[in-house]
Amino acid sequence: MITRCILNIRLNTIRRGICTSRPSSSVFQKIKHFLLAEERDNFDADNIRKAHEKDKVDEKEWALIYRDVGASRTFYMTAAFLPCFIIGSTIFAVDINTNSPSNRFDFVQKLVTDAEELGSLIVLPSLALTVVIAFLARVQQLRLIRIYQNKKDTESFMAIQSKLLVTQHKALFRRDETAGFYFADDQTDGARVALHFLFGNIQIGNRKFMIMDDMFKANNYRSYMLNETSVPPRL
């Protein structure tokens, strides 16, 4: 009996140890590892196949040369946020103008109460919110998500870009329509990033866009597309 009790105590101790043990890596480390792995494998076969399938682009005809993972993620975040914000603002405005204070939604009553407590200071958060929304909309409009190059006609390209801020569409362009902007190269890092986000760093036709140089498959794809070199890259 004594032996059985000792065995039960040891077994319970082991079980408690297993239940209370912590994982070897935190959630943040796993997320960081995932993000870094995604960047390293930006042009692996599986990611290329998924990009072609998502964009409905023939892999035999078009080669993926630019894939901005960050632009893709921020696109979906912004595309989800902006409609929700517009719907919420519409509900707020309608509720304020049509219902008495006691019959309004709870969140509307709370926002009105907070605004009354802030008084004239309400201008500051309102202005900050306006700037953030304008910035998100501008970035959504500027950033290119993916770029393909035609395998048969190396002068022909296809860009996946934002349309109406919440959808994506394909835009065809040719190499002679592109040009790079270098006016921000001699600025500090912060100023250069700000200028790129405001004005873009390339032009396609009569529109300005923003690209990240390190998101190209290789630098020669970028330099050829922007007419900096004349030797077509290997596709």
Side-chain angles (χ1 to χ4, degrees):
M1 182 179 293
I2 295 174
T3 304
R4 185 180 299 173
C5 291
I6 294 174
L7 290 175
N8 288 335
I9 292 172
R10 292 183 63 184
L11 182 59
N12 290 333
T13 303
I14 293 172
R15 286 176 178 172
R16 286 196 297 268
I18 293 174
C19 293
T20 58
S21 60
R22 295 182 178 180
S24 58
S25 60
S26 66
V27 174
F28 295 105
Q29 289 295 329
K30 291 180 180 179
I31 294 174
K32 180 180 178 181
H33 175 73
F34 169 76
L35 293 175
L36 292 176
E38 184 73 23
E39 290 179 3
R40 286 196 299 269
D41 301 331
N42 203 18
F43 286 94
D44 69 2
D46 189 47
N47 283 332
I48 292 175
R49 177 184 58 80
K50 289 179 180 178
H52 281 86
E53 290 178 354
K54 178 178 179 57
D55 299 328
K56 297 180 180 179
V57 174
D58 187 358
E59 193 169 354
K60 295 180 180 179
E61 184 179 358
W62 296 90
L64 181 66
I65 65 169
Y66 179 86
R67 179 173 177 264
D68 191 342
V69 180
S72 180
R73 290 172 179 166
T74 55
F75 169 83
Y76 288 113
M77 292 172 60
T78 305
F81 168 75
L82 289 179
C84 292
F85 176 78
I86 293 172
I87 293 172
S89 300
T90 303
I91 293 174
F92 179 84
V94 171
D95 202 24
I96 286 289
N97 292 311
T98 58
N99 295 322
S100 61
S102 59
N103 292 328
R104 293 170 182 167
F105 289 109
D106 291 340
F107 83 93
V108 174
Q109 294 182 24
K110 188 176 187 312
L111 288 175
V112 171
T113 301
D114 293 342
E116 291 175 349
E117 291 178 355
L118 286 173
S120 59
L121 293 178
I122 191 64
V123 174
L124 297 178
S126 300
L127 180 61
L129 181 61
T130 302
V131 171
V132 169
I133 293 175
F135 176 77
L136 289 175
R138 180 60 175 168
V139 171
Q140 191 86 327
Q141 182 185 29
L142 281 178
R143 294 186 74 174
L144 294 179
I145 300 171
R146 286 175 291 277
I147 300 175
Y148 296 88
Q149 186 173 3
N150 194 287
K151 294 182 178 180
K152 296 179 180 178
D153 180 9
T154 57
E155 300 277 322
S156 180
F157 296 85
M158 178 193 301
I160 307 299
Q161 61 190 64
S162 169
K163 181 180 181 181
L164 301 177
L165 301 180
V166 295
T167 60
Q168 297 178 6
H169 82 292
K170 293 177 281 190
L172 295 173
F173 65 95
R174 296 193 63 81
R175 180 168 169 258
D176 56 10
E177 300 178 69
T178 66
F181 294 155
Y182 310 103
F183 60 88
D185 287 353
D186 56 347
Q187 303 293 326
T188 62
D189 291 342
R192 182 168 62 252
V193 170
L195 289 172
H196 285 173
F197 274 107
L198 288 174
F199 305 108
N201 56 7
I202 67 168
Q203 182 167 334
I204 300 176
N206 58 358
R207 285 196 58 185
K208 295 179 176 62
F209 296 97
M210 185 179 69
I211 57 174
M212 301 294 180
D213 293 346
D214 54 352
M215 293 299 170
F216 278 92
K217 190 173 183 179
N219 186 62
N220 58 328
Y221 292 91
R222 173 196 172 279
S223 58
Y224 180 77
M225 187 187 79
L226 296 179
N227 295 285
E228 295 175 355
T229 58
S230 57
V231 179
R234 183 177 180 180
L235 299 174

